[in-house]
């Protein structure tokens, strides 16, 4: 996502980030050198270090941006309480759809975030994991709300949240939309599976897309 | 799993494999050097190359052993057709339980197999992926059989199989048994979620363990 507006510095930083995500997803973080990255962007290696003093700081910045973006996208997608889709089932449908669409649009970045955690130092790892915990906490809150109203039958909120996250993130790793199914069809199928997983037997929430 | 029987050569190879799985899971394949591995095993670097001529051949051997073991374990765990658990629901319950127990017992090896595929050359990657396809084909066959008998309501066999594999492999990556739940409880919860996911409404198959 190289920007076409902004200062030269902003454009260079955006180009570095974009090239880094692609290279790390393809080669792995440990295997990628800053020299390769500089060649890919078309700058001198020294220029990279002005933006990211160490290779780890680059990785950390990419991961924080990904997680901050995911949390912000859910903040925008979340149905307001009291709205048509404000029920636990409506919230869950919106969560699954937003999660799938966000990650399908950021496949390489998703790989980087899933595969390269071990290259972060402890403090940075803790921050990225805290962002994950905050995001997954939103899902746990929806499951707990649905269990409280009796809409969902969830024996173990933590395990169920983990199962849903793994299931709906996994589609990004292994599935290529447009080979056989469209993004809408994939989102709809995963919505159906999620609703079954939580034992929801009520009407399909009116997301306009995710029903089957 | 260092062996205590077998020739010196077999013991050395087993020690190399065991140390390599642990090191790769911790550091990543690209970051691990053969020199580090030799030091860990307590042999000269040259000795490693007698067993594994290249670092990639070592990785490939580890991955093939993991997948061959997984396929063999399912071959042993699979309920015979016509037996009490020979129904699609019984087969699915056995598949989920075997998958979870196999991977929980091989956490580091599971990490290596999930995270390091990109370090294989094309022909080796194709072989490992073919083993995965064969294994996942067993699950797809169970889902198709259950859809045919009407036991399962599965809209898309491929997506559902992928969702189940991701969900039940994910538990190994993120969950630590014995922190809060035992391995049996984890297997039982995932069994329940899987049965819901496939729309199974019949009696719990008599696995003696996986019911709720």
């Amino acid at each position: 996502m190289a920007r076409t507006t902004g200062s030269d510095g902003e454009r260079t930083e955006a180009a570095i980030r974009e090239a880094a995500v692609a290279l790390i997803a393809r080669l792995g973080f440990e295997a990628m050198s800053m020299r390769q990255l500089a060649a890919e962007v078309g700058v001198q290696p020294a220029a990279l270090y002005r933006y990211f003093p160490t290779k780890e700081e680059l990785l950390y910045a990419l991961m924080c941006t990904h997680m901050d973006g995911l949390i912000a996208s859910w903040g925008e997608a979340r149905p307001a309480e009291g709205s048509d889709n404000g029920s636990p089932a409506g919230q869950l449908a919106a969560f699954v759809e937003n999660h799938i669409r966000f990650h399908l649009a950021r496949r390489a970045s998703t790989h980087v975030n899933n595969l390269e955690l071990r290259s972060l130092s402890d403090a940075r790892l803790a921050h990225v994991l805290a962002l994950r915990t905050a995001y997954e906490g939103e899902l746990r809150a929806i499951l707990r709300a649905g269990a409280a109203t009796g809409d969902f039958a969830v024996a173990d909120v933590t395990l169920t949240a983990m199962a849903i996250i793994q299931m709906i993130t996994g589609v990004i790793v292994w599935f290529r939309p447009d080979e056989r199914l469209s993004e809408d069809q994939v989102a709809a199928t995963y919505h159906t599976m999620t609703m079954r997983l939580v034992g929801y037997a009520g009407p399909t929430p009116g997301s306009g897309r995710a029903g089957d």
Side-chain angles (χ1 to χ4, degrees), chain A:
Chain A
M1 282 159 280
R3 297 174 199 172
T4 51
T5 59
S7 69
D8 282 357
E10 283 171 351
R11 279 195 296 274
T12 304
E13 185 182 334
I16 293 169
R17 284 170 171 264
E18 187 183 1
V21 165
L23 270 182
I24 296 171
R26 184 153 57 86
L27 304 174
F29 176 72
E30 296 294 343
M32 181 197 76
S33 72
M34 290 294 258
R35 182 171 299 273
Q36 270 175 305
L37 176 57
E40 191 78 16
V41 179
V43 298
Q44 293 298 316
L48 292 188
Y49 293 98
R50 255 182 276 142
Y51 298 93
F52 302 102
T54 67
K55 201 176 140 193
E56 192 205 328
E57 281 174 78
L58 167 61
L59 178 65
Y60 179 61
L62 296 176
M63 288 186 168
C64 289
T65 299
H66 181 95
M67 284 308 305
D68 290 341
L70 178 59
I71 290 168
S73 76
W74 169 238
E76 284 171 29
R78 177 174 29 207
E81 282 191 40
S83 72
D84 280 356
N85 292 322
S87 66
Q91 298 261 355
L92 182 56
F95 187 92
V96 168
E97 178 163 355
N98 183 67
H99 186 93
I100 289 180
R101 291 186 191 279
F102 181 91
H103 288 94
L104 280 177
R106 291 163 187 81
R107 205 180 274 280
S109 181
T110 301
H111 274 291
V112 172
N113 267 60
N114 286 343
L115 300 184
E116 307 294 354
L117 284 171
R118 68 184 158 212
S119 292
L120 293 181
S121 58
D122 288 349
R124 291 186 176 126
L125 177 62
H127 181 67
V128 172
L129 293 181
L131 292 175
R132 281 197 182 200
T133 300
Y135 176 69
E136 292 168 13
E138 297 280 314
L139 175 58
R140 285 192 293 272
I142 295 169
L143 296 178
R144 263 192 298 271
T149 58
D151 287 340
F152 302 158
V154 172
D156 188 306
V157 165
T158 301
L159 279 196
T160 304
M162 197 182 314
I164 292 172
I165 292 277
Q166 290 289 335
M167 182 176 84
I168 62 184
T169 305
V171 67
I172 289 94
V173 178
W174 297 111
F175 193 74
R176 298 287 171 272
D178 299 325
E179 281 181 0
R180 184 171 64 86
L181 296 173
S182 69
E183 187 176 315
D184 283 354
Q185 287 171 310
V186 171
T189 303
Y190 274 80
H191 168 252
T192 303
M193 291 194 284
T194 303
M195 288 303 168
R196 282 190 186 159
L197 194 67
V198 300
Y200 177 70
T204 299
S207 80
R209 259 183 187 146
D212 61 335

